[in-house]
Amino acid sequence: MKILYITPDITNSGGIARVISLKTDYLIDKLNYEICILTVNNNSSDFFYEFNPKIKWFKITQSKNKLLFLWRYRSLIKKSVSQTNPDVVVFCDSVLSVFIPWMIKVKKPIVFETHVSAYLKKVINKGFLNALRFVVVHFFKKITFKKIDKFIVLTNEAASEWDINNCKIIPNPRSFSLLHKSNLENKKAIAISRHSYEKGLDRLLLIWKKIVEKHPDWSLDIYGEWNTDMTYQKMAVNLEISNSVNFIAPVVNIQESYQNASVFLMTSRSESFPMALIEAISSGLACVVYDCPNGPNAIIKNNENGFLIEDENESLFLEKLELLIDNKSLRVELGEKAFKSAEQYDIEIIMQIWDDVFQDLKKK
């Protein structure tokens, strides 16, 4: 079986890069697939995550001239399909993804795999013109995606957002499984997030400001790529909480960081199926997360394996976080249930579903 993936930039530490690295490695080493990847490499740097050396690569860099880039991108897609002759083409939230099905002229099964909410752009971009643009683009996407053979989403909520007949739900696999969970002793909370508006770090810092007023011995570690203007570091200084908040660059061996924490926090405005949350429950952490669209409510069942907080309900978020800080036995109870709930995301389970999809498409 030969698969051609068409992806956005996957040199970074983001969730899409992590998932593609995990899945392609499993397909190659466990299922003997041949994998080719066409990627838009925006910074020509080395990959953050390790990719299997057997992968065949096609790379292109974005240019300021959009028409020139579109022509080069179309040519590279045509070349990669011709050279590899794949059994299935998979594209994942790619640059110009709405055009890709129209660019592939030969008859190949096409799969679209989306890792973001259908309404992400609506969350990020405000104003009438942006709202109008979103409606037009979303309408065109739904028409385009009817051309593909299988539309893969991560949750039931995402399936409802898109409302496409050829849809299938396949969650992300967890990136690791631990024999030893966090002991939940350290007075430390952890968050994993890039510094972008939809991730809601401003909301987290405002919450943490109120936490450290009552619990000055607790600290918060925030792992993730930050922007050049240091927006949230400056916000922490202005809130006078910089002594209790640590901004840390992404690390490959994030398991140790989870194990050193006692609580995981997520205050995103938009998600899809957050890898960080899967990693947190796999580490046995007690989690407090906003029920944003969409993804967290597919992973966390409120009062069972964590606390799922109504979006923007800061007072309830604070109440549940303080409850975990004050009550270690509750942290342990929720952490144990979280740890067990993560078993359903074992990579062997998830990749069997993917193998069934690919084999079925090849037969058809």
Side-chain angles (χ1 to χ4, degrees), residues 92-104:
C92 328
D93 296 311
S94 306
V95 176
L96 302 174
S97 60
V98 73
F99 297 110
I100 289 175
W102 306 96
M103 294 176 177
I104 300 174

Side-chain angles (χ1 to χ4, degrees), residues 247-260:
F247 293 94
I248 305 170
V251 295
V252 175
N253 189 20
I254 193 66
Q255 299 97 309
E256 294 181 6
S257 303
Y258 285 113
Q259 288 184 298
N260 288 328

Side-chain angles (χ1 to χ4, degrees), residues 48-327:
F48 183 83
Y49 297 111
E50 183 177 350
F51 282 83
N52 195 296
K54 294 181 181 178
I55 293 173
K56 179 177 181 179
W57 293 94
F58 298 87
K59 299 179 182 179
I60 185 172
T61 302
Q62 284 208 49
S63 60
K64 293 181 180 180
N65 187 323
K66 301 299 182 184
L67 289 177
L68 176 61
F69 174 74
L70 180 60
W71 181 82
R72 292 174 55 233
Y73 195 46
R74 177 181 177 277
S75 298
L76 185 58
I77 289 175
K78 182 179 179 181
K79 174 184 174 181
S80 62
V81 172
S82 174
Q83 287 189 2
T84 61
N85 189 28
D87 296 298
V88 180
V89 177
V90 182
F91 62 108
C92 328
D93 296 311
S94 306
V95 176
L96 302 174
S97 60
V98 73
F99 297 110
I100 289 175
W102 306 96
M103 294 176 177
I104 300 174
K105 300 301 182 181
V106 295
K107 190 162 182 63
K108 296 288 181 181
I110 302 176
V111 175
F112 178 54
E113 175 186 345
T114 182
H115 294 258
V116 298
S117 168
Y119 297 100
L120 173 61
K121 295 297 184 183
K122 195 173 183 180
V123 169
I124 298 174
N125 300 316
K126 305 295 184 180
F128 174 75
L129 289 179
N130 281 321
L132 180 61
R133 179 177 177 272
F134 168 81
V135 171
V136 173
V137 172
H138 188 67
F139 175 75
F140 186 54
K141 281 183 176 180
K142 291 192 71 172
I143 293 174
T144 299
F145 293 154
K146 288 179 181 178
K147 282 179 60 68
I148 66 176
D149 298 274
K150 193 66 68 175
F151 188 89
I152 306 296
V153 295
L154 304 175
T155 66
N156 286 311
E157 191 175 352
S160 299
E161 279 185 351
W162 287 102
D163 190 26
I164 293 177
N165 290 333
N166 56 350
C167 188
K168 185 172 181 62
I169 301 165
I170 308 179
N172 287 331
R174 60 179 178 179
S175 56
F176 58 79
S177 56
L178 297 174
L179 296 176
H180 305 290
K181 307 183 296 293
S182 168
N183 60 22
L184 309 182
E185 291 279 359
N186 294 334
K187 295 181 178 181
K188 184 184 293 294
I190 186 173
I192 313 291
S193 172
R194 67 178 180 274
H195 292 202
S196 55
Y197 174 77
E198 73 274 12
K199 294 300 183 179
L201 286 182
D202 54 322
R203 307 202 291 184
L204 178 57
L205 294 177
L206 290 172
I207 289 170
W208 197 253
K209 164 75 172 176
K210 297 177 180 178
I211 288 295
V212 294
E213 289 173 357
K214 295 182 180 180
H215 306 278
D217 52 342
W218 275 69
S219 63
L220 169 64
D221 288 348
I222 302 176
Y223 288 82
E225 297 175 356
W226 52 73
N227 47 32
T228 54
D229 59 7
M230 312 287 277
T231 302
Y232 299 109
Q233 288 89 334
K234 292 175 182 176
M235 182 177 177
V237 171
N238 292 334
L239 291 173
E240 299 181 343
I241 58 173
S242 55
N243 289 337
S244 67
V245 179
N246 304 304
F247 293 94
I248 305 170
V251 295
V252 175
N253 189 20
I254 193 66
Q255 299 97 309
E256 294 181 6
S257 303
Y258 285 113
Q259 288 184 298
N260 288 328
S262 296
V263 179
F264 176 81
L265 307 177
M266 177 173 283
T267 53
S268 298
R269 292 180 170 90
S270 176
E271 283 289 346
S272 181
F273 196 81
M275 286 293 290
L277 186 51
I278 295 294
E279 292 170 348
I281 64 173
S282 297
S283 304
L285 288 182
C287 302
V288 188
V289 302
Y290 271 142
D291 186 14
C292 68
N294 57 41
N297 60 17
I299 300 168
I300 299 298
K301 305 305 177 188
N302 192 35
N303 296 316
E304 293 182 20
N305 63 340
F307 289 129
L308 187 67
I309 309 299
E310 178 188 16
D311 198 17
E312 298 186 10
N313 192 337
E314 182 182 291
S315 61
L316 183 59
F317 197 107
L318 276 165
E319 176 188 325
K320 297 303 183 182
L321 177 51
E322 284 197 83
L323 187 61
L324 290 175
I325 288 174
D326 292 330
N327 190 336

